[in-house]
Amino acid sequence: MPRFSNGPVEIDYLDEGEGDPTVLVHGFASTKEINWVFPGWVTTLRRAGRRAIALDNRGHGASSKLYDPDLYHSDRMADDVRALLDHLGIARADVMGYSMGTRIAAFFALAHPQRLRRAIFGGLGFRLVEGVGLPENIAAALEAPSLSAVRDPAAAMFRLFAEQTKSDLRALAACVRGSRQTLTREQVAQIEAPVLVAVGTKDDVAGSAQGLAALLPRGRAFDIPGRDHMLAVGDRVFKAAVLDFLAEQP
């Protein structure tokens, strides 16, 4: 996979297809392959005549592993998206995030409105405003000597997923502690690009899609039927709604 540098941080990415570019930003402890390739998003976008670009967020996948929580501030992670666009010579793009990737996409939208055409906020609704990212016990679970030493079931689920994705557990713990920022209602209201907020109807992590969409000047909520936080990302109905959204005139 190609790579580029944003300062001292090396970012691994993929770039496939032709047409209008869509940048894909994955969730916590995931990778561009797990979030976007394996569930069929890259193929779906390419078949729709679009250019699919996906990065491994810092601390994830094949990108640089960092152990200082300050280096995972959402502003810094959003700046990796900006740097990727600069590297590829892309002036404006559609940006789609999922879960933590939506937090990054929202910070990108606020910092670089001139670079954004449309956004899809997947797997994160009103908790972008009322929420502080992953709880501290997730970081503690990642630093535990073994999975069996983690007593909290939710924390153990994250530890298991991180092990399954062969992640750097210490880097992920730093990411948990460093990327817990929210946006205020006033900041969300400054995002003027069209935004589709999509959350599974069984998702008990993301918060309300309708609640977040109501704060966005051009926001629209979409319920992914019958899906929880983990299963919503590859849903066919979700894909169809995103393609319809991207096909609209911005």
Side-chain angles (χ1 to χ4, degrees):
M1 289 290 178
R3 297 167 69 86
F4 75 99
S5 296
N6 185 15
V9 181
E10 291 194 353
I11 300 294
D12 202 77
Y13 70 96
L14 64 80
D15 181 2
E16 299 184 11
E18 299 177 354
D20 291 336
T22 302
V23 178
L24 305 168
V25 190
H26 67 73
F28 177 75
S30 191
T31 67
K32 59 186 180 302
E33 289 82 13
I34 291 169
N35 218 145
W36 306 119
V37 177
F38 301 155
W41 275 104
V42 171
T43 298
T44 295
L45 290 168
R46 290 184 61 187
R47 286 177 177 170
R50 301 188 64 85
R51 180 179 176 185
I53 303 162
L55 74 161
D56 278 339
N57 293 319
R58 56 177 60 199
H60 295 72
S63 293
S64 294
K65 308 303 184 294
L66 312 168
Y67 305 105
D68 179 352
D70 289 344
L71 297 177
Y72 290 99
H73 191 286
S74 298
D75 282 335
R76 290 179 181 264
M77 299 184 81
D79 191 62
D80 291 335
V81 178
R82 188 275 313 161
L84 175 58
L85 292 180
D86 287 354
H87 173 72
L88 295 174
I90 296 172
R92 298 176 73 219
D94 300 316
V95 177
M96 176 175 176
Y98 194 81
S99 195
M100 181 186 75
T102 284
R103 189 181 307 277
I104 295 168
F107 273 75
F108 172 82
L110 198 61
H112 305 286
Q114 74 282 4
R115 309 295 297 272
L116 179 68
R117 290 197 306 179
R118 287 162 294 203
I120 298 97
F121 291 177
L124 185 61
F126 201 67
R127 283 187 62 83
L128 177 64
V129 177
E130 288 191 349
V132 289
L134 294 171
E136 168 64 27
N137 68 332
I138 303 296
L142 293 166
E143 293 172 331
S146 66
L147 176 60
S148 61
V150 181
R151 301 304 179 201
D152 180 81
M157 179 187 70
F158 277 95
R159 171 65 180 255
L160 177 61
F161 181 63
E163 290 184 356
Q164 289 172 338
T165 58
K166 297 180 171 56
S167 297
D168 184 317
L169 301 182
R170 192 159 64 94
L172 291 186
C175 181
V176 169
R177 295 188 172 106
S179 62
R180 307 183 73 203
Q181 298 76 31
T182 59
L183 295 180
T184 66
R185 288 170 172 79
E186 292 74 21
Q187 287 174 313
V188 172
Q190 294 174 31
I191 300 174
E192 296 183 355
V195 180
L196 180 68
V197 185
V199 173
T201 58
K202 295 184 177 180
D203 189 332
D204 58 2
V205 175
S208 167
Q210 289 75 15
L212 180 60
L215 299 178
L216 291 155
R218 301 172 72 185
R220 182 191 313 172
F222 178 76
D223 292 327
I224 306 170
R227 297 296 193 181
D228 62 17
H229 192 72
M230 299 301 289
L231 294 179
V233 67
D235 185 82
R236 289 184 181 180
V237 177
F238 181 26
K239 290 190 179 86
V242 168
L243 290 183
D244 288 345
F245 176 70
L246 292 176
E248 296 174 4
Q249 290 299 317

